[in-house]
Amino acid sequence: MELFSGVRRVQCSAAVAGIVFFILVVALMDYSTEGRPFQIIVPLFYFLPVVLSFLISRVASIAITALSALSACLVTFLKGTVLYSGDALNIGILVVAVICASALYLVAGSFSNAVAKRQQAEERARRLQEVFFGVISSLSRVLDARDPHTARHSQSVADYALAIAKEMGLSPSHRETIYFAGILHDVGKIGISEQPLRKPGKLTMEEWEEIKRHPVLSYSILRDIPELEEIAIITLYHHERWDGEGYPYGVKGESIPLGARILCVADSYDAMTSERVYKKAISREKALNELRRCAGGQFDPEVVEVFLRCFEKGTPNKRLEHPKKEFDIVAV
C-alpha cells in the first residue's frame, strides 16, 4: 500500500507540473498575441487546466484555478488592457467571465466528485465480493474437512453447476448464485450427526430421515442473510426430483427452481464418480449413461442434455480454474 501511495504521489506531482507548464505556455501566447480574435480565443485555454485539475484533487484544483486567474490578470496588466470602471462593455465581459468560470468550477467539481465516489464504490464492491467469496470457500472447506471421502465435493459440484449455467446462457448474476449454492448446498450437514454420514453399511430408516434433514437445515442457516436468500432457496430444493419423488417436499417439474435442478444433476454426477465410505466410484461413462437413463425421471431432461453437451466441449470443472472471474462486479 505504501508503494502504491508513493506511485500515486509521483503521478499527481507530474500531472500538476504539466498543468503549470501548460498555464505558462498559454500566458506566454496570450501576452505575445494581438488582435480581437486572439484576445477572445487564447484566454479560453486558461479554463482547460482548471478542468483537468479536478481529476487530481480538490486542493490541486483550487491552486490551479488561482494560478490560471493570476496569470490571466497579470497578462492583462502587462498588455496595458486593464479594465476601467467607466468602460461598461469591459465590465460586462468581466462579470460574464466570472459567472462562467464559477459555473464551470461547480459543474466540473460535481462531475469529478461523482466519478471519484463511483470509483470508490466499485472498489468497495470488489473488496466485499472478495471477502464474500473467501468466507463461502472457507465454509465449504470446513464442511468437507468433516469427512475425507467428501473432500472437494462442494467445489466440484459448484464447478459442474457453473459450467451448466454458462452453457444455458444464464446471466452472470444467476451463474454466480448457482455457483455459490453449489459451494454451500451441503452446509446443513453441519447439523447432522457424523455417524450416518460415515456409516459404511446400509442406513436405517431413522438414519435416512436424519440425512434428509440437511437441505432444510442448509436453508435455515442461510435464509436470514439477505445476500444469500436465493442461494438458500436453491439449497432447499436441490434434492427434489423432476418426477416429484424427491425430498424434502416432493416438488416436481418446473416448480423446482432452475438453480436447484442444475444442482441436482451436478451433485448426482459428482456423487457417482466419487468414492464414498459406503460405495466405490464409477466411471465417467457409466455416470453419464445413468444421467441419460434418469432424465425425465429424477433429472430435468433439458439440464441433463446441457450437461452432456458440456462434456462434449471438455470436462466442465477442468475448464474453470478461476471461477470467480466469471462474475461481474456491480457497485451499489
Side-chain angles (χ1 to χ4, degrees):
M1 292 299 293
E2 291 182 0
L3 177 61
F4 177 80
S5 299
V7 171
R8 172 66 177 168
R9 283 195 294 270
V10 171
Q11 291 175 340
C12 290
S13 299
V16 171
I19 290 175
V20 171
F21 178 75
F22 181 82
I23 292 174
L24 295 177
V25 172
V26 173
L28 181 61
M29 290 176 58
D30 191 14
Y31 179 74
S32 61
T33 55
E34 296 291 344
R36 191 66 177 175
F38 293 107
Q39 290 177 343
I40 296 174
I41 296 174
V42 174
L44 295 177
F45 286 96
Y46 286 113
F47 292 109
L48 181 59
V50 175
V51 175
L52 294 176
S53 67
F54 286 113
L55 302 176
I56 302 175
S57 68
R58 184 174 296 275
V59 174
S61 67
I62 293 174
I64 295 299
T65 301
L67 180 60
S68 294
L70 181 62
S71 300
C73 292
L74 182 61
V75 169
T76 301
F77 178 80
L78 293 176
K79 292 174 70 173
T81 57
V82 179
L83 299 177
Y84 294 99
S85 58
D87 192 335
L89 177 61
N90 284 341
I91 291 176
I93 293 174
L94 177 62
V95 171
V96 171
V98 170
I99 294 174
C100 291
S102 301
L104 178 64
Y105 186 93
L106 291 174
V107 172
S110 299
F111 175 75
S112 63
N113 189 42
V115 170
K117 287 184 177 180
R118 173 70 178 182
Q119 292 174 340
Q120 291 173 357
E122 289 178 349
E123 178 63 18
R124 284 197 299 269
R126 186 192 65 79
R127 291 179 180 176
L128 285 173
Q129 190 176 51
E130 290 289 338
V131 171
F132 180 66
F133 194 97
V135 169
I136 287 182
S137 297
S138 297
L139 282 173
S140 172
R141 286 193 291 271
V142 168
L143 178 63
D144 289 345
R146 295 186 69 200
D147 187 354
H149 289 90
T150 60
R152 281 202 53 84
H153 167 68
S154 298
Q155 184 64 61
S156 296
V157 170
D159 288 340
Y160 289 135
L162 178 57
I164 295 171
K166 284 186 64 181
E167 187 66 25
M168 295 183 77
L170 301 185
S171 67
S173 61
H174 203 169
R175 297 200 304 260
E176 182 181 63
T177 299
I178 291 171
Y179 177 82
F180 286 133
I183 292 287
L184 296 173
H185 73 284
D186 278 342
V187 70
K189 287 183 178 178
I190 292 175
I192 300 295
S193 171
E194 290 191 21
Q195 192 275 330
L197 294 175
R198 297 191 178 189
K199 185 176 179 180
K202 185 177 180 180
L203 297 178
T204 65
M205 184 62 69
E206 291 76 14
E207 290 169 337
W208 175 234
E209 291 299 323
E210 175 75 4
I211 293 292
K212 288 168 62 177
R213 291 177 56 236
H214 80 271
V216 177
L217 291 176
S218 296
Y219 177 75
S220 299
I221 292 170
L222 303 174
R223 66 181 178 183
D224 292 330
I225 305 173
E227 290 77 6
L228 302 183
E229 185 176 357
E230 290 185 57
I231 294 173
I233 292 173
I234 292 175
T235 63
L236 176 63
Y237 291 106
H238 79 277
H239 276 297
E240 298 289 359
R241 292 169 50 118
W242 184 256
D243 59 10
E245 297 298 320
Y247 62 89
Y249 302 121
V251 182
K252 67 178 180 178
E254 294 186 357
S255 298
I256 305 169
L258 176 59
R261 284 179 265 151
I262 291 173
L263 216 60
C264 181
V265 172
D267 186 28
S268 298
Y269 174 81
D270 188 71
M272 286 188 286
T273 56
S274 301
E275 183 174 349
R276 301 290 173 85
V277 66
Y278 53 86
K279 75 170 190 67
K280 293 186 177 297
I282 64 175
S283 68
R284 185 181 79 173
E285 290 72 21
K286 288 184 178 180
L288 294 178
N289 286 332
E290 186 67 11
L291 292 179
R292 290 189 187 95
R293 187 182 69 82
C294 296
Q298 181 176 354
F299 308 115
D300 180 342
E302 182 184 359
V303 174
V304 171
E305 180 182 349
V306 172
F307 192 50
L308 295 174
R309 193 160 66 237
C310 289
F311 274 94
E312 292 174 1
K313 298 180 178 181
T315 305
N317 65 336
K318 297 296 184 183
R319 297 186 300 152
L320 300 173
E321 297 178 0
H322 303 288
K324 64 183 176 181
K325 293 183 179 179
E326 299 287 329
F327 313 131
D328 292 340
I329 299 175
V330 180
V332 293

mmCIF file with all atom_site columns, all heavy atoms in Angstrom, residues 127-142:
data_model
loop_
_atom_site.group_PDB
_atom_site.id
_atom_site.type_symbol
_atom_site.label_atom_id
_atom_site.label_alt_id
_atom_site.label_comp_id
_atom_site.label_asym_id
_atom_site.label_entity_id
_atom_site.label_seq_id
_atom_site.pdbx_PDB_ins_code
_atom_site.Cartn_x
_atom_site.Cartn_y
_atom_site.Cartn_z
_atom_site.occupancy
_atom_site.B_iso_or_equiv
_atom_site.pdbx_formal_charge
_atom_site.auth_seq_id
_atom_site.auth_comp_id
_atom_site.auth_asym_id
_atom_site.auth_atom_id
_atom_site.pdbx_PDB_model_num
ATOM 1   N N   . ARG A 1 127 ? -13.892 -5.428  -3.120 1.00 0.00 ? 127 ARG A N   1
ATOM 2   C CA  . ARG A 1 127 ? -13.322 -5.986  -1.890 1.00 0.00 ? 127 ARG A CA  1
ATOM 3   C C   . ARG A 1 127 ? -14.348 -6.817  -1.127 1.00 0.00 ? 127 ARG A C   1
ATOM 4   O O   . ARG A 1 127 ? -14.017 -7.879  -0.585 1.00 0.00 ? 127 ARG A O   1
ATOM 5   C CB  . ARG A 1 127 ? -12.804 -4.849  -1.007 1.00 0.00 ? 127 ARG A CB  1
ATOM 6   C CG  . ARG A 1 127 ? -11.583 -4.139  -1.578 1.00 0.00 ? 127 ARG A CG  1
ATOM 7   C CD  . ARG A 1 127 ? -11.121 -3.014  -0.675 1.00 0.00 ? 127 ARG A CD  1
ATOM 8   N NE  . ARG A 1 127 ? -9.953  -2.330  -1.207 1.00 0.00 ? 127 ARG A NE  1
ATOM 9   C CZ  . ARG A 1 127 ? -9.389  -1.271  -0.652 1.00 0.00 ? 127 ARG A CZ  1
ATOM 10  N NH1 . ARG A 1 127 ? -9.897  -0.771  0.474  1.00 0.00 ? 127 ARG A NH1 1
ATOM 11  N NH2 . ARG A 1 127 ? -8.334  -0.706  -1.211 1.00 0.00 ? 127 ARG A NH2 1
ATOM 12  N N   . LEU A 1 128 ? -15.599 -6.342  -1.080 1.00 0.00 ? 128 LEU A N   1
ATOM 13  C CA  . LEU A 1 128 ? -16.646 -7.097  -0.396 1.00 0.00 ? 128 LEU A CA  1
ATOM 14  C C   . LEU A 1 128 ? -16.896 -8.433  -1.082 1.00 0.00 ? 128 LEU A C   1
ATOM 15  O O   . LEU A 1 128 ? -17.104 -9.451  -0.417 1.00 0.00 ? 128 LEU A O   1
ATOM 16  C CB  . LEU A 1 128 ? -17.940 -6.283  -0.353 1.00 0.00 ? 128 LEU A CB  1
ATOM 17  C CG  . LEU A 1 128 ? -17.985 -5.129  0.647  1.00 0.00 ? 128 LEU A CG  1
ATOM 18  C CD1 . LEU A 1 128 ? -19.253 -4.308  0.461  1.00 0.00 ? 128 LEU A CD1 1
ATOM 19  C CD2 . LEU A 1 128 ? -17.886 -5.640  2.078  1.00 0.00 ? 128 LEU A CD2 1
ATOM 20  N N   . GLN A 1 129 ? -16.848 -8.441  -2.417 1.00 0.00 ? 129 GLN A N   1
ATOM 21  C CA  . GLN A 1 129 ? -17.061 -9.701  -3.123 1.00 0.00 ? 129 GLN A CA  1
ATOM 22  C C   . GLN A 1 129 ? -15.902 -10.660 -2.867 1.00 0.00 ? 129 GLN A C   1
ATOM 23  O O   . GLN A 1 129 ? -16.110 -11.866 -2.739 1.00 0.00 ? 129 GLN A O   1
ATOM 24  C CB  . GLN A 1 129 ? -17.223 -9.466  -4.628 1.00 0.00 ? 129 GLN A CB  1
ATOM 25  C CG  . GLN A 1 129 ? -17.678 -10.735 -5.359 1.00 0.00 ? 129 GLN A CG  1
ATOM 26  C CD  . GLN A 1 129 ? -17.933 -10.498 -6.817 1.00 0.00 ? 129 GLN A CD  1
ATOM 27  O OE1 . GLN A 1 129 ? -17.088 -9.953  -7.507 1.00 0.00 ? 129 GLN A OE1 1
ATOM 28  N NE2 . GLN A 1 129 ? -19.079 -10.940 -7.310 1.00 0.00 ? 129 GLN A NE2 1
ATOM 29  N N   . GLU A 1 130 ? -14.681 -10.121 -2.781 1.00 0.00 ? 130 GLU A N   1
ATOM 30  C CA  . GLU A 1 130 ? -13.529 -10.968 -2.461 1.00 0.00 ? 130 GLU A CA  1
ATOM 31  C C   . GLU A 1 130 ? -13.693 -11.590 -1.078 1.00 0.00 ? 130 GLU A C   1
ATOM 32  O O   . GLU A 1 130 ? -13.437 -12.783 -0.883 1.00 0.00 ? 130 GLU A O   1
ATOM 33  C CB  . GLU A 1 130 ? -12.239 -10.144 -2.520 1.00 0.00 ? 130 GLU A CB  1
ATOM 34  C CG  . GLU A 1 130 ? -11.805 -9.709  -3.903 1.00 0.00 ? 130 GLU A CG  1
ATOM 35  C CD  . GLU A 1 130 ? -11.290 -10.868 -4.723 1.00 0.00 ? 130 GLU A CD  1
ATOM 36  O OE1 . GLU A 1 130 ? -10.874 -11.882 -4.140 1.00 0.00 ? 130 GLU A OE1 1
ATOM 37  O OE2 . GLU A 1 130 ? -11.304 -10.755 -5.969 1.00 0.00 ? 130 GLU A OE2 1
ATOM 38  N N   . VAL A 1 131 ? -14.139 -10.771 -0.110 1.00 0.00 ? 131 VAL A N   1
ATOM 39  C CA  . VAL A 1 131 ? -14.365 -11.280 1.245  1.00 0.00 ? 131 VAL A CA  1
ATOM 40  C C   . VAL A 1 131 ? -15.478 -12.326 1.240  1.00 0.00 ? 131 VAL A C   1
ATOM 41  O O   . VAL A 1 131 ? -15.365 -13.389 1.847  1.00 0.00 ? 131 VAL A O   1
ATOM 42  C CB  . VAL A 1 131 ? -14.716 -10.120 2.200  1.00 0.00 ? 131 VAL A CB  1
ATOM 43  C CG1 . VAL A 1 131 ? -15.161 -10.660 3.561  1.00 0.00 ? 131 VAL A CG1 1
ATOM 44  C CG2 . VAL A 1 131 ? -13.518 -9.198  2.366  1.00 0.00 ? 131 VAL A CG2 1
ATOM 45  N N   . PHE A 1 132 ? -16.567 -12.011 0.520  1.00 0.00 ? 132 PHE A N   1
ATOM 46  C CA  . PHE A 1 132 ? -17.702 -12.927 0.426  1.00 0.00 ? 132 PHE A CA  1
ATOM 47  C C   . PHE A 1 132 ? -17.278 -14.265 -0.162 1.00 0.00 ? 132 PHE A C   1
ATOM 48  O O   . PHE A 1 132 ? -17.608 -15.330 0.352  1.00 0.00 ? 132 PHE A O   1
ATOM 49  C CB  . PHE A 1 132 ? -18.771 -12.265 -0.454 1.00 0.00 ? 132 PHE A CB  1
ATOM 50  C CG  . PHE A 1 132 ? -20.017 -13.090 -0.640 1.00 0.00 ? 132 PHE A CG  1
ATOM 51  C CD1 . PHE A 1 132 ? -20.857 -13.362 0.417  1.00 0.00 ? 132 PHE A CD1 1
ATOM 52  C CD2 . PHE A 1 132 ? -20.349 -13.580 -1.892 1.00 0.00 ? 132 PHE A CD2 1
ATOM 53  C CE1 . PHE A 1 132 ? -22.014 -14.100 0.245  1.00 0.00 ? 132 PHE A CE1 1
ATOM 54  C CE2 . PHE A 1 132 ? -21.500 -14.325 -2.085 1.00 0.00 ? 132 PHE A CE2 1
ATOM 55  C CZ  . PHE A 1 132 ? -22.330 -14.583 -1.011 1.00 0.00 ? 132 PHE A CZ  1
ATOM 56  N N   . PHE A 1 133 ? -16.513 -14.203 -1.236 1.00 0.00 ? 133 PHE A N   1
ATOM 57  C CA  . PHE A 1 133 ? -16.014 -15.413 -1.895 1.00 0.00 ? 133 PHE A CA  1
ATOM 58  C C   . PHE A 1 133 ? -15.133 -16.217 -0.938 1.00 0.00 ? 133 PHE A C   1
ATOM 59  O O   . PHE A 1 133 ? -15.244 -17.443 -0.842 1.00 0.00 ? 133 PHE A O   1
ATOM 60  C CB  . PHE A 1 133 ? -15.228 -15.019 -3.143 1.00 0.00 ? 133 PHE A CB  1
ATOM 61  C CG  . PHE A 1 133 ? -14.955 -16.167 -4.081 1.00 0.00 ? 133 PHE A CG  1
ATOM 62  C CD1 . PHE A 1 133 ? -15.777 -16.382 -5.169 1.00 0.00 ? 133 PHE A CD1 1
ATOM 63  C CD2 . PHE A 1 133 ? -13.879 -17.012 -3.889 1.00 0.00 ? 133 PHE A CD2 1
ATOM 64  C CE1 . PHE A 1 133 ? -15.545 -17.423 -6.044 1.00 0.00 ? 133 PHE A CE1 1
ATOM 65  C CE2 . PHE A 1 133 ? -13.636 -18.060 -4.748 1.00 0.00 ? 133 PHE A CE2 1
ATOM 66  C CZ  . PHE A 1 133 ? -14.462 -18.269 -5.828 1.00 0.00 ? 133 PHE A CZ  1
ATOM 67  N N   . GLY A 1 134 ? -14.249 -15.524 -0.212 1.00 0.00 ? 134 GLY A N   1
ATOM 68  C CA  . GLY A 1 134 ? -13.355 -16.203 0.718  1.00 0.00 ? 134 GLY A CA  1
ATOM 69  C C   . GLY A 1 134 ? -14.087 -16.869 1.863  1.00 0.00 ? 134 GLY A C   1
ATOM 70  O O   . GLY A 1 134 ? -13.765 -17.989 2.253  1.00 0.00 ? 134 GLY A O   1
ATOM 71  N N   . VAL A 1 135 ? -15.097 -16.169 2.419  1.00 0.00 ? 135 VAL A N   1
ATOM 72  C CA  . VAL A 1 135 ? -15.859 -16.723 3.541  1.00 0.00 ? 135 VAL A CA  1
ATOM 73  C C   . VAL A 1 135 ? -16.616 -17.976 3.115  1.00 0.00 ? 135 VAL A C   1
ATOM 74  O O   . VAL A 1 135 ? -16.619 -19.000 3.815  1.00 0.00 ? 135 VAL A O   1
ATOM 75  C CB  . VAL A 1 135 ? -16.829 -15.672 4.107  1.00 0.00 ? 135 VAL A CB  1
ATOM 76  C CG1 . VAL A 1 135 ? -17.809 -16.310 5.082  1.00 0.00 ? 135 VAL A CG1 1
ATOM 77  C CG2 . VAL A 1 135 ? -16.055 -14.555 4.807  1.00 0.00 ? 135 VAL A CG2 1
ATOM 78  N N   . ILE A 1 136 ? -17.250 -17.907 1.945  1.00 0.00 ? 136 ILE A N   1
ATOM 79  C CA  . ILE A 1 136 ? -18.006 -19.063 1.464  1.00 0.00 ? 136 ILE A CA  1
ATOM 80  C C   . ILE A 1 136 ? -17.076 -20.238 1.182  1.00 0.00 ? 136 ILE A C   1
ATOM 81  O O   . ILE A 1 136 ? -17.389 -21.390 1.509  1.00 0.00 ? 136 ILE A O   1
ATOM 82  C CB  . ILE A 1 136 ? -18.811 -18.679 0.204  1.00 0.00 ? 136 ILE A CB  1
ATOM 83  C CG1 . ILE A 1 136 ? -19.983 -17.795 0.614  1.00 0.00 ? 136 ILE A CG1 1
ATOM 84  C CG2 . ILE A 1 136 ? -19.309 -19.911 -0.533 1.00 0.00 ? 136 ILE A CG2 1
ATOM 85  C CD1 . ILE A 1 136 ? -20.882 -17.380 -0.521 1.00 0.00 ? 136 ILE A CD1 1
ATOM 86  N N   . SER A 1 137 ? -15.921 -19.967 0.581  1.00 0.00 ? 137 SER A N   1
ATOM 87  C CA  . SER A 1 137 ? -14.959 -21.043 0.324  1.00 0.00 ? 137 SER A CA  1
ATOM 88  C C   . SER A 1 137 ? -14.474 -21.666 1.622  1.00 0.00 ? 137 SER A C   1
ATOM 89  O O   . SER A 1 137 ? -14.295 -22.885 1.710  1.00 0.00 ? 137 SER A O   1
ATOM 90  C CB  . SER A 1 137 ? -13.774 -20.496 -0.485 1.00 0.00 ? 137 SER A CB  1
ATOM 91  O OG  . SER A 1 137 ? -14.193 -20.039 -1.748 1.00 0.00 ? 137 SER A OG  1
ATOM 92  N N   . SER A 1 138 ? -14.270 -20.835 2.644  1.00 0.00 ? 138 SER A N   1
ATOM 93  C CA  . SER A 1 138 ? -13.828 -21.345 3.942  1.00 0.00 ? 138 SER A CA  1
ATOM 94  C C   . SER A 1 138 ? -14.894 -22.231 4.567  1.00 0.00 ? 138 SER A C   1
ATOM 95  O O   . SER A 1 138 ? -14.592 -23.287 5.136  1.00 0.00 ? 138 SER A O   1
ATOM 96  C CB  . SER A 1 138 ? -13.497 -20.182 4.883  1.00 0.00 ? 138 SER A CB  1
ATOM 97  O OG  . SER A 1 138 ? -12.421 -19.418 4.379  1.00 0.00 ? 138 SER A OG  1
ATOM 98  N N   . LEU A 1 139 ? -16.166 -21.820 4.476  1.00 0.00 ? 139 LEU A N   1
ATOM 99  C CA  . LEU A 1 139 ? -17.266 -22.650 4.988  1.00 0.00 ? 139 LEU A CA  1
ATOM 100 C C   . LEU A 1 139 ? -17.300 -24.005 4.287  1.00 0.00 ? 139 LEU A C   1
ATOM 101 O O   . LEU A 1 139 ? -17.515 -25.050 4.917  1.00 0.00 ? 139 LEU A O   1
ATOM 102 C CB  . LEU A 1 139 ? -18.597 -21.934 4.783  1.00 0.00 ? 139 LEU A CB  1
ATOM 103 C CG  . LEU A 1 139 ? -18.950 -20.817 5.757  1.00 0.00 ? 139 LEU A CG  1
ATOM 104 C CD1 . LEU A 1 139 ? -20.221 -20.111 5.300  1.00 0.00 ? 139 LEU A CD1 1
ATOM 105 C CD2 . LEU A 1 139 ? -19.123 -21.355 7.161  1.00 0.00 ? 139 LEU A CD2 1
ATOM 106 N N   . SER A 1 140 ? -17.069 -23.973 2.981  1.00 0.00 ? 140 SER A N   1
ATOM 107 C CA  . SER A 1 140 ? -17.066 -25.220 2.221  1.00 0.00 ? 140 SER A CA  1
ATOM 108 C C   . SER A 1 140 ? -15.943 -26.141 2.681  1.00 0.00 ? 140 SER A C   1
ATOM 109 O O   . SER A 1 140 ? -16.142 -27.347 2.836  1.00 0.00 ? 140 SER A O   1
ATOM 110 C CB  . SER A 1 140 ? -16.916 -24.910 0.726  1.00 0.00 ? 140 SER A CB  1
ATOM 111 O OG  . SER A 1 140 ? -16.735 -26.101 -0.006 1.00 0.00 ? 140 SER A OG  1
ATOM 112 N N   . ARG A 1 141 ? -14.765 -25.570 2.921  1.00 0.00 ? 141 ARG A N   1
ATOM 113 C CA  . ARG A 1 141 ? -13.625 -26.393 3.360  1.00 0.00 ? 141 ARG A CA  1
ATOM 114 C C   . ARG A 1 141 ? -13.857 -26.961 4.753  1.00 0.00 ? 141 ARG A C   1
ATOM 115 O O   . ARG A 1 141 ? -13.466 -28.098 5.042  1.00 0.00 ? 141 ARG A O   1
ATOM 116 C CB  . ARG A 1 141 ? -12.340 -25.569 3.316  1.00 0.00 ? 141 ARG A CB  1
ATOM 117 C CG  . ARG A 1 141 ? -11.829 -25.319 1.902  1.00 0.00 ? 141 ARG A CG  1
ATOM 118 C CD  . ARG A 1 141 ? -10.417 -24.781 1.914  1.00 0.00 ? 141 ARG A CD  1
ATOM 119 N NE  . ARG A 1 141 ? -10.364 -23.432 2.457  1.00 0.00 ? 141 ARG A NE  1
ATOM 120 C CZ  . ARG A 1 141 ? -10.499 -22.328 1.725  1.00 0.00 ? 141 ARG A CZ  1
ATOM 121 N NH1 . ARG A 1 141 ? -10.713 -22.425 0.428  1.00 0.00 ? 141 ARG A NH1 1
ATOM 122 N NH2 . ARG A 1 141 ? -10.418 -21.133 2.279  1.00 0.00 ? 141 ARG A NH2 1
ATOM 123 N N   . VAL A 1 142 ? -14.488 -26.175 5.631  1.00 0.00 ? 142 VAL A N   1
ATOM 124 C CA  . VAL A 1 142 ? -14.818 -26.678 6.969  1.00 0.00 ? 142 VAL A CA  1
ATOM 125 C C   . VAL A 1 142 ? -15.758 -27.870 6.869  1.00 0.00 ? 142 VAL A C   1
ATOM 126 O O   . VAL A 1 142 ? -15.587 -28.885 7.549  1.00 0.00 ? 142 VAL A O   1
ATOM 127 C CB  . VAL A 1 142 ? -15.450 -25.558 7.823  1.00 0.00 ? 142 VAL A CB  1
ATOM 128 C CG1 . VAL A 1 142 ? -16.061 -26.134 9.098  1.00 0.00 ? 142 VAL A CG1 1
ATOM 129 C CG2 . VAL A 1 142 ? -14.416 -24.496 8.166  1.00 0.00 ? 142 VAL A CG2 1
#
